[in-house]
Amino acid sequence: MANIILNPDWQLKESACTTQAAYKNRRIFLKSLGLGTMALATGGFRCSNNAHSASSGELDPDGPLDTIPDDAPRDGYPAARNPDFTVPERPVTDRLVSSSYNNFYEFINQGNLKRVWPHTGAFQAFPWTLEVRGQVERKQTWDLSDLIRSMDLEERIYRFRCVEAWSITVPWTGFPLSKLIERCKPLTRATHVQFTCINRPNQLPGQATAHWYPWPYFEGLRMDEAMNELAFVAVGMYGEPLPKQNGSPLRLVLPWKYGYKGPKAIVRIEFTRKQPKTFWNELQPQEYGFLSNVNPNVPHPRWSQASERFLSRENVEERIPTQIFNGYDRWVSDLYPDEPRTPAGPIIR
Ligand code: MTE
């Protein structure tokens, strides 16, 4: 690990958004595990306390949207909005902000992490195939453009909450994950589903250089979570196909969970008989659990989750309280009888 360059502003930002006592405790805790350098070097998340444009650079009016692949299918756009999924209490985030302030470690995982789009040039999102494997009636491999054209696309506006305590509101275009799962024909003995993402170091500069990550990115859900009405496969946003930095050609959106549970650029869906491993849990199990539901009562070990920075436009952000399940309680609360409803530990505000 000696040749790994640590992001020099890491400690400043981490300490800036955490009480000093909590920050010191974490250093002691990591030291006791012998994890100090390792956890920092793997570039785990950090609570981002800065104005979003300050860390992403000035917003370029063209660049972030020029990354929408020319060959993405556009049939069915703009899709009709589903009136059951809107966010009346917040403005929709400006699309330039949603496409300029990202997390996509395959493209960049050191330095100015949020400025992803300039690193996407070599990535070819189409043609794309999606494999279905594991506990299914029959293994299948689909051409994604054909699959998208065969689905009824709809638009849903969802709140989106990152574990780093920033949030946005996004109109996604896509279809319910349950519709895709029905086509996969899983066997009744499948209890979970794992999603595996792209593995192409020749097109992904972050994947090519950061060998300490367990590429490719992988995530998982219980079957009842995956079949929930909210679980959505996004192939577009803001009435157009997804830009590369937002997960082209397809990604999951699970609005009641932290953003890292939504894998981008998925190549394989595998149905399993036990809980699958997940990328961030493998790297930092003490910080990232399997469920990872948005919950203001459960602080991250390094920062509070009680509130979030809502990003609406460049340089415009508001500190707002975080809601349990990100405000989607009525859809998902039955799935999680054990989710803490009162503060589960000292909350750092
Ligand atoms: N999927 C892949 N393949 N690689 C990633 O690094 N980052 C996750 C998630 N999905 C990630 C990923 C994280 S941490 C977040 S917050 C969201 O994507 C960010 O999505 P956005 O950049 O479109 O807002």
Side-chain angles (χ1 to χ4, degrees):
M1 305 301 277
N3 59 350
I4 292 167
I5 302 161
L6 296 181
N7 184 353
D9 61 1
W10 173 289
Q11 294 178 25
L12 181 68
K13 283 187 181 158
E14 185 183 337
S15 57
C17 67
T18 313
T19 62
Q20 213 180 6
Y23 175 70
K24 274 189 188 150
N25 281 344
R26 161 166 156 85
R27 303 293 300 181
I28 294 162
F29 174 66
L30 289 174
K31 215 171 160 190
S32 72
L33 294 176
L35 278 176
T37 317
M38 171 67 186
L40 295 176
T42 54
F45 297 115
R46 60 181 179 233
C47 172
S48 53
N49 225 9
N50 295 355
H52 50 287
S53 58
S55 47
S56 60
E58 286 303 302
L59 293 189
D60 181 322
D62 300 317
L65 302 178
D66 283 349
T67 65
I68 299 174
D70 291 337
D71 39 6
R74 285 178 177 259
D75 318 50
Y77 283 86
R81 183 167 295 171
N82 184 332
D84 293 340
F85 302 104
T86 59
V87 182
E89 77 283 9
R90 294 186 197 173
V92 166
T93 298
D94 189 293
R95 65 188 298 211
L96 263 184
V97 171
S98 305
S99 296
S100 304
Y101 190 82
N102 298 102
N103 272 332
F104 207 155
Y105 278 52
E106 288 87 332
F107 289 112
I108 179 162
N109 47 58
Q110 293 176 83
N112 193 347
L113 300 180
K114 297 289 176 280
R115 199 170 154 79
V116 176
W117 66 267
H119 305 277
T120 60
F123 174 47
Q124 292 294 323
F126 291 91
W128 190 268
T129 51
L130 184 63
E131 292 180 355
V132 180
R133 296 290 184 270
Q135 304 295 318
V136 283
E137 281 181 19
R138 131 180 109 82
K139 292 178 193 164
Q140 305 190 61
T141 302
W142 293 317
D143 173 76
L144 186 71
S145 297
D146 292 345
L147 179 75
I148 294 174
R149 290 192 183 102
S150 72
M151 288 288 189
D152 288 331
L153 298 184
E154 61 178 271
E155 183 177 79
R156 295 184 177 192
I157 305 180
Y158 277 159
R159 297 177 208 96
F160 182 94
R161 172 64 154 82
C162 177
V163 74
E164 296 165 334
W166 53 268
S167 63
I168 50 180
T169 302
V170 179
W172 302 102
T173 302
F175 44 86
L177 177 58
S178 60
K179 297 273 180 233
L180 183 63
I181 289 182
E182 281 164 20
R183 291 203 188 183
C184 296
K185 297 196 188 331
L187 300 173
T188 48
R189 61 176 180 242
T191 58
H192 291 79
V193 52
Q194 183 172 44
F195 302 88
T196 306
C197 299
I198 186 170
N199 194 15
R200 289 188 205 163
N202 58 333
Q203 295 183 9
L204 305 166
Q207 202 168 56
T209 48
H211 302 292
W212 52 93
Y213 286 106
W215 307 117
Y217 196 95
F218 47 101
E219 254 304 336
L221 295 171
R222 296 187 325 221
M223 280 297 277
D224 59 350
E225 299 181 298
M227 294 301 286
N228 186 273
E229 203 186 340
L230 286 177
F232 200 61
V233 178
V235 295
M237 63 197 294
Y238 298 89
E240 289 201 81
L242 289 172
K244 294 178 188 175
Q245 65 275 20
N246 290 103
S248 177
L250 85 164
R251 68 173 296 168
L252 287 193
V253 183
L254 309 162
W256 72 100
K257 291 182 177 285
Y258 291 118
Y260 65 87
K261 290 292 296 181
K264 304 201 244 192
I266 300 165
V267 296
R268 190 166 66 246
I269 303 179
E270 183 172 349
F271 294 85
T272 64
R273 300 178 73 171
K274 60 176 189 183
Q275 182 174 301
K277 293 182 173 176
T278 61
F279 185 86
W280 284 105
N281 184 257
E282 283 286 288
L283 280 164
Q284 288 172 240
Q286 73 284 6
E287 300 197 351
Y288 307 109
F290 181 79
L291 292 180
S292 295
N293 295 319
V294 176
N295 190 335
N297 302 311
V298 182
H300 184 281
R302 288 182 276 141
W303 58 82
S304 167
Q305 293 292 20
S307 67
E308 63 204 49
R309 290 165 47 226
F310 175 64
L311 318 179
S312 55
R313 286 179 286 129
E314 185 181 12
N315 289 323
V316 177
E317 57 183 61
E318 199 188 337
R319 195 99 213 168
I320 55 174
T322 291
Q323 304 176 68
I324 189 154
F325 301 119
N326 203 21
Y328 295 98
D329 198 9
R330 85 178 164 87
W331 279 271
V332 296
S333 60
D334 289 355
L335 299 178
Y336 311 107
D338 298 331
E339 193 73 30
R341 295 281 172 166
T342 51
I347 291 191
I348 308 150
R349 287 190 188 272

